[in-house]
Amino acid sequence: MHKQLMSGNEAIARGAFEHGVTFAAGYPGTPSTEIMEAFSRYKGVYAEWSPNEKVALEVAIGAALAGVKAMAVMKHVGVNVAADPLFTVSYTGTNGALVIITADDPSLHSSQNEQDNRNYAKFAKIPMLEPSDSQEAKTFIKIAMDISEKFDSPVFLRTTTRVSHSKSVVGLEEPAVSEDRRVIKFDPAKYVMVPAHARVRRVVVEKRMEQLKEWAETFPENRMEIQSTAVGIITAGMSYNYAKDVFPDYSYLKLGMVHPLPEKMIRTFASKVKELYVVEELDPFIEEQVHAMGIPVTGKKVFPYTSEFDPGVVEEGIKAHKRGRKSPPAIPSRPPNLCPGCPHRGLFYALGKTKAFVTGDIGCYTLSFMKPLQGLHTCICMGASIGMAHGMSKALGEKGKGKIVGVIGDSTFVHSGITPLLNMAYNKSDAVIIIADNRTTAMTGMQDHPATGTTLQGEKTKELDFAALAKVLGIESVRIVHPLNIKKTTAVLKEELEKEGPSVIVSRGPCIFLQRERLKSIKPFTVDIDVCTGCQLCLGLGCPAISWKKEEAGLVPRTGKKRKGFASIDKTLCVQCSLCFQVCRADAIKSAGGPS
Amino acid sequence: MKDSVTSLLLAGVGGQGVLLASDIICKVMMKAGFDVKKSEVHGMAQRGGCVTSHVRYGRKVYSPIAKEGDVNVLISFEKLETLRYLNFLKAGGRVIINEEEILPPSVNLGETAYPADAVDIVRHQFKDVLVVNALDLARKAGNIRAVSIVMLGALSKYLPEASPDDWKSVIGEEFSEKLVPANLKAFDLGRETA
């Protein structure tokens, strides 16, 4: 068997391919994105970026109904968006196979919250598997598909960032030959969820969960590793590895399936060990159920509710001793930042001049909240900027006139911005909405979407026209600006803020990562330090290429005026976007010529 | 084969090649017959933020990340980042530092100062400290993007489990034909400094 180093995400894609999964739909979101990207490159599969997770799940449900093995792929908060179809597909069942992959993000490495999606399994009455490394990720996607077919149920596969983005050794197998089970089947009692039918299916769901509970007792991936019986640990997913790392000799009940739980197995395990722990990140999901079985167990009493674990956290919890962590010395933090040349920088610089309150959204541009731009003032969830801007503007009335702006990225607008924009036209809003259109889903690593003109599998396709769409939704004032032109952008912003009624401004400038060709012939800007007055206007852009140098004692610039320091441009970072050149009032920033 | 697990921690700034370097280490150690795991956090870190990657290898590895105070070698691609992750290093651990400075936003704005004595702070706590001018060596090798390979060259000297040829064969597979010679040269130059 050929062995390869794979991330959990790559392994899920590989496992799906080996197992005859031919269909996947998803929306990018860290830490799930690479599953779709890797899967889309296998031969003979169909994979699409849907506009959002709700659509992705509905697409996958349709595919499963048509008899194929399908998966819907999303990050944890994506399941919130997909929750509506999720709860009812649990009733209808799937015909083919349907696996929903939820990639959770303990520690919020790249998310707005830390929700524990195991709760969705219980809430929606859907079984859930949880792999602990890449080999298991590859195996478990297959098992999940088999469970889905056997029990006619959607199945969750849950990863966390550490499973999705860790790499470990995976044994590759040849793809199995699957028979063609595609079919059009009419079965209204099963698929038309009117109350009369849904009441019947509701009972089927409970019966299914009972059967799954029984099945879980003999599921080989729920396994007891009995060693020293002094301490027994019930665990699943990545936490298993952390515990094994520090306590290799204790006994383990390693759960491959976290919902429903194998009660008899848990009772047997508990009876074999003196002291029982549940090691799980985030919510006491397993622990509460073990408590409810009347079994004494220790969990959140010694382990944190928040953040991901590591081997040290598990060791401290069980040994009940603190390792006395050394806190690192006080050093400047290094937060992620808008790249040099980022088109969003021009937009937020201009927006800052208007003093408007900016409801923000989710994407690279969220990073503009930091100093010095401090460009947006809220971030809740995908699409929230538009509804919130409208709500604030309505509530404030005259008080908010010309002061409320919503900013949303192109991919995010497609995801959840269209209905709230329609609402603004319908309910006669007065706010200004800016679509920060950098022609890609940048934050998650440059994925296509319905306004880029290319599909996930690289085909050319229709390209959504934001301005035309805004118009047909009923927004009469629609403008397009290039955000790297500060003067024009500022003027358009001012005009639109003064107008009655809702406006849309499409701020269109491609992400710097889409400008490979241009970047090959950059002529960086330079600062003439004899002319620089040290006014720091250019520093207000927050460009990583511009830094502040303190004046050496005794030196006086050619202008003769005293200054505390001067600006400097790192020529390896500058991509000639010209924003600093535009804001400099002293003509100290020099262009080396060429296109900019 | 030894039973204990070796833990490495690579730290740097987005774009420096930290993730590529950790992939290469894994492939080398896999070829040398070890179980290997690595872990990193992607996503927002691409935008000029800190990037770290844990690499662990041994007969059997469970956790892909090391606990604090358990790392054998800290490989820091940027001087300041060394300090941020120093507490992961075990007593008597080794540090390899690229002396390149990449200024964080607050330093650019003049709000905070870049610590002038970063290497001294490290030397004060650990005695096996190697400072490398990886950018300079990469330039000498003919490719300024080969900083991460210079660092691997230096690291390789301290990992006797794999020979220089093991490393070079993986580097040879990792790059397109055109880029291989400069990267092999970068590896040699890095190794010579150690």
Side-chain angles (χ1 to χ4, degrees), chain A residues 509-527:
Chain A
C511 173
I512 197 73
F513 286 112
L514 294 177
Q515 302 180 41
R516 291 247 156 87
E517 273 312 303
R518 191 180 77 79
L519 293 186
K520 281 181 187 162
S521 54
I522 292 296
K523 295 199 178 91
F525 281 87
T526 49
V527 177

Side-chain angles (χ1 to χ4, degrees), chain B residues 26-98:
Chain B
C26 286
K27 286 173 187 170
V28 169
M29 292 307 164
M30 236 177 109
K31 278 197 172 172
F34 292 99
D35 185 23
V36 180
K37 283 188 178 173
K38 67 167 258 184
S39 189
E40 62 227 6
V41 173
H42 313 211
M44 301 182 83
Q46 293 176 13
R47 309 287 172 252
C50 318
V51 177
T52 60
S53 183
H54 287 260
V55 175
R56 306 187 78 214
Y57 59 91
R59 197 175 55 81
K60 167 78 190 163
V61 181
Y62 283 103
S63 172
I65 49 176
K67 62 182 177 187
E68 270 184 41
D70 224 19
V71 165
N72 301 79
V73 188
L74 171 64
I75 306 101
S76 182
F77 286 49
E78 200 276 347
K79 214 160 65 179
L80 169 62
E81 294 310 301
T82 323
L83 300 182
R84 208 181 303 282
Y85 301 101
L86 209 54
N87 52 342
F88 272 90
L89 209 56
K90 63 162 63 176
R94 182 178 292 279
V95 193
I96 304 172
I97 305 172
N98 174 21

Side-chain angles (χ1 to χ4, degrees), chain A residues 30-300:
Chain A
T30 312
S32 73
T33 312
E34 302 83 3
I35 300 172
M36 290 295 299
E37 291 181 323
F39 181 75
S40 73
R41 290 193 282 266
Y42 285 109
K43 243 192 162 150
V45 305
Y46 175 78
E48 70 167 44
W49 289 131
S50 305
N52 66 31
E53 295 86 353
K54 178 178 185 286
V55 176
L57 178 53
E58 289 155 353
V59 167
I61 292 171
L65 238 62
V68 304
K69 292 176 186 167
M71 55 184 185
V73 182
M74 55 201 74
K75 69 181 290 177
H76 63 332
V77 287
V79 180
N80 302 339
V81 179
D84 206 356
L86 177 77
F87 280 76
T88 305
V89 74
S90 174
Y91 283 28
T92 63
T94 56
N95 186 37
L98 175 64
V99 174
I100 302 143
I101 296 170
T102 166
D104 291 13
D105 190 20
S107 280
L108 304 97
H109 294 288
S110 195
S111 301
Q112 68 271 37
N113 79 28
E114 200 182 35
Q115 67 189 51
D116 184 337
N117 275 10
R118 293 178 301 171
N119 295 301
Y120 267 118
K122 203 171 169 208
F123 197 5
K125 300 174 187 291
I126 293 174
M128 178 181 269
L129 303 185
E130 193 172 351
S132 68
D133 62 15
S134 300
Q135 180 63 54
E136 283 191 358
K138 201 195 85 164
T139 307
F140 282 20
I141 181 71
K142 300 180 182 185
I143 299 171
M145 290 286 166
D146 291 346
I147 295 173
S148 179
E149 283 180 336
K150 183 176 162 69
F151 291 91
D152 188 29
S153 168
V155 176
F156 267 121
L157 183 77
R158 176 189 187 242
T159 71
T160 55
T161 301
R162 285 294 167 190
V163 173
S164 280
H165 284 176
S166 290
K167 288 189 177 176
S168 54
V169 183
V170 176
L172 303 189
E173 293 156 78
E174 285 305 309
V177 182
S178 304
E179 56 175 310
D180 186 351
R181 291 194 194 155
R182 286 177 299 171
V183 65
I184 298 176
K185 218 155 90 183
F186 297 91
D187 192 350
K190 189 165 181 280
Y191 297 118
V192 183
M193 285 300 95
V194 293
H197 293 165
R199 279 183 209 115
V200 177
R201 295 300 301 176
R202 172 80 186 82
V203 178
V204 173
V205 169
E206 290 305 325
K207 208 183 262 169
R208 180 183 77 208
M209 289 315 287
E210 276 307 309
Q211 288 164 353
L212 274 159
K213 223 176 135 182
E214 207 46 52
W215 186 84
E217 301 288 355
T218 55
F219 174 40
E221 295 295 340
N222 287 340
R223 62 167 195 266
M224 278 190 255
E225 300 169 7
I226 303 296
Q227 302 181 94
S228 158
T229 55
V231 173
I233 294 173
I234 303 175
T235 186
M238 186 49 84
S239 298
Y240 168 76
N241 292 313
Y242 299 154
K244 285 290 274 193
D245 202 80
V246 284
F247 300 118
D249 301 325
Y250 289 162
S251 293
Y252 285 84
L253 172 55
K254 200 274 192 190
L255 297 171
M257 187 165 176
V258 292
H259 187 71
L261 293 179
E263 185 171 343
K264 284 178 220 155
M265 197 185 267
I266 289 171
R267 286 190 189 284
T268 308
F269 182 70
S271 72
K272 286 179 193 285
V273 297
K274 287 195 188 76
E275 231 185 311
L276 184 65
Y277 288 89
V278 172
V279 178
E280 58 187 330
E281 292 171 330
L282 307 183
D283 294 344
F285 182 79
I286 299 171
E287 182 191 348
E288 281 179 352
Q289 295 182 67
V290 176
H291 275 306
M293 294 170 196
I295 299 167
V297 63
T298 305
K300 291 297 163 185

Side-chain angles (χ1 to χ4, degrees), chain A residues 300-497:
Chain A
K300 291 297 163 185
K301 209 170 89 187
V302 296
F303 296 113
Y305 280 82
T306 57
S307 296
E308 63 177 351
F309 291 179
D310 62 31
V313 170
V314 177
E315 186 175 48
E316 280 175 19
I318 292 183
K319 275 196 179 163
H321 83 115
K322 297 284 169 216
R323 292 164 53 85
R325 289 173 184 240
K326 285 180 259 169
S327 51
I331 49 175
S333 64
R334 194 187 294 278
N337 195 355
L338 298 178
C339 304
C342 176
H344 298 320
R345 178 170 287 106
L347 169 65
F348 285 102
Y349 187 82
L351 202 45
K353 303 280 167 219
T354 68
K355 308 271 185 244
F357 186 95
V358 180
T359 57
D361 227 296
I362 295 193
C364 285
Y365 49 97
T366 319
L367 299 174
S368 77
F369 85 94
M370 283 181 297
K371 275 207 250 182
L373 289 170
Q374 297 174 298
L376 56 80
H377 312 113
T378 69
C379 167
I380 300 271
C381 69
M382 297 287 283
S385 58
I386 301 181
M388 285 174 68
H390 171 61
M392 279 190 83
S393 161
K394 277 279 167 196
L396 287 163
E398 269 308 305
K399 255 185 155 170
K401 178 93 194 101
K403 290 178 185 159
I404 305 299
V405 176
V407 176
I408 185 165
D410 46 344
S411 187
T412 310
F413 177 76
V414 171
H415 181 285
S416 306
I418 300 169
T419 27
L421 189 61
L422 173 65
N423 182 52
M424 281 183 62
Y426 173 55
N427 283 310
K428 304 181 171 188
S429 194
D430 203 23
V432 173
I433 299 303
I434 299 169
I435 301 174
D437 179 13
N438 64 356
R439 316 302 297 147
T440 186
T441 317
M443 185 55 114
T444 46
M446 321 305 286
Q447 288 76 31
D448 279 295
H449 60 66
T452 66
T454 308
T455 69
L456 168 57
Q457 292 185 302
E459 282 180 61
K460 290 287 157 219
T461 184
K462 298 267 183 208
E463 187 178 321
L464 170 64
D465 179 338
F466 290 125
L469 175 68
K471 288 234 157 144
V472 297
L473 290 179
I475 308 292
E476 282 168 17
S477 187
V478 181
R479 309 284 294 270
I480 298 175
V481 296
H482 197 300
L484 291 181
N485 185 332
I486 295 178
K487 213 167 161 186
K488 237 187 197 150
T489 303
T490 311
V492 169
L493 278 169
K494 235 178 123 193
E495 285 165 29
E496 294 309 311
L497 282 166

Side-chain angles (χ1 to χ4, degrees), chain B residues 121-151:
Chain B
I121 295 172
V122 178
R123 285 195 199 280
H124 188 71
Q125 294 180 46
F126 297 92
K127 83 176 177 353
D128 294 317
V129 180
L130 175 71
V131 180
V132 184
N133 188 336
L135 195 62
D136 197 38
L137 293 178
R139 201 174 285 127
K140 268 188 196 140
N143 186 346
I144 57 161
R145 298 178 60 88
V147 164
S148 58
I149 306 302
V150 173
M151 296 300 282

